[in-house]
Amino acid sequence: MSKVTILDKTFQTSIPEAVILQHVKAVAERINADYEGKTPLFLAVLNGAFMFAADLMRYITIPCEISFVKLASYQGTTSTGKIREVIGINEDLTGRHVIILEDIVDTGLTMKRMVEALGTRKPASVNICPMLVKPDKLEVELDIKYAAMEIPNDFIVGYGLDYCQQGRNLRDIYTLCE
């Protein structure tokens, strides 16, 4: 296992890039099958989901569209509990099949708010597709149909996830060392 230091914290490899990509491909194959004959709109949540979204889209073989929304609820290594929408959605969602691409779902509060907000725009369906889920940290009930992986309640960086805006560029996912 390799280690990296970001600012004042040390992290060690927990999920190598090859394993990440296997899970991304598997999720894409499920979406391709489930949405055959439809044209879903993927909404990628920035900043964290940009790498996941890019890799997932390379495996999507059905007609689709992608757009981006920016929500924020993290500061440092902990969730602030306050979610602020920074960039909104400009597309008409009426009758559309929407798939939210998120880097990680831990408390679920961000996704719950986003699903509720999207529901007011009359989509045909809304599904959540996070790269990672922390099931032990969920505070709200969510129907997460397309999770690529479940992980323990550790703080992680890499593959789009950050610590104080750094570490997003790491190919692997790293866990905070105690």
Side-chain angles (χ1 to χ4, degrees), residues 35-136:
Y35 287 86
E36 188 173 345
K38 300 173 182 156
T39 305
L41 170 63
F42 290 93
L43 289 178
V45 180
L46 296 173
N47 290 338
F50 76 99
M51 285 180 121
F52 174 50
D55 285 342
L56 182 78
M57 294 305 287
R58 288 183 183 100
Y59 293 114
I60 295 295
T61 57
I62 56 171
C64 64
E65 296 175 25
I66 187 167
S67 192
F68 298 87
V69 64
K70 186 167 182 176
L71 305 172
S73 65
Y74 257 85
Q75 187 169 353
T77 60
T78 57
S79 178
T80 62
K82 295 178 184 169
I83 302 155
R84 34 188 189 96
E85 189 168 346
V86 181
I87 300 170
I89 302 159
N90 299 322
E91 288 76 14
D92 179 8
L93 302 183
T94 305
R96 299 291 310 268
H97 295 282
V98 177
I99 302 172
I100 303 168
L101 302 180
E102 177 67 297
D103 56 356
I104 188 166
V105 173
D106 31 337
T107 65
L109 295 171
T110 301
M111 277 300 98
K112 184 175 190 291
R113 178 172 178 222
M114 188 165 179
V115 169
E116 289 169 352
L118 294 177
T120 66
R121 296 172 170 233
K122 301 182 178 111
S125 66
V126 177
N127 277 297
I128 304 167
C129 179
M131 176 64 204
L132 304 165
V133 176
K134 293 181 178 180
D136 294 339

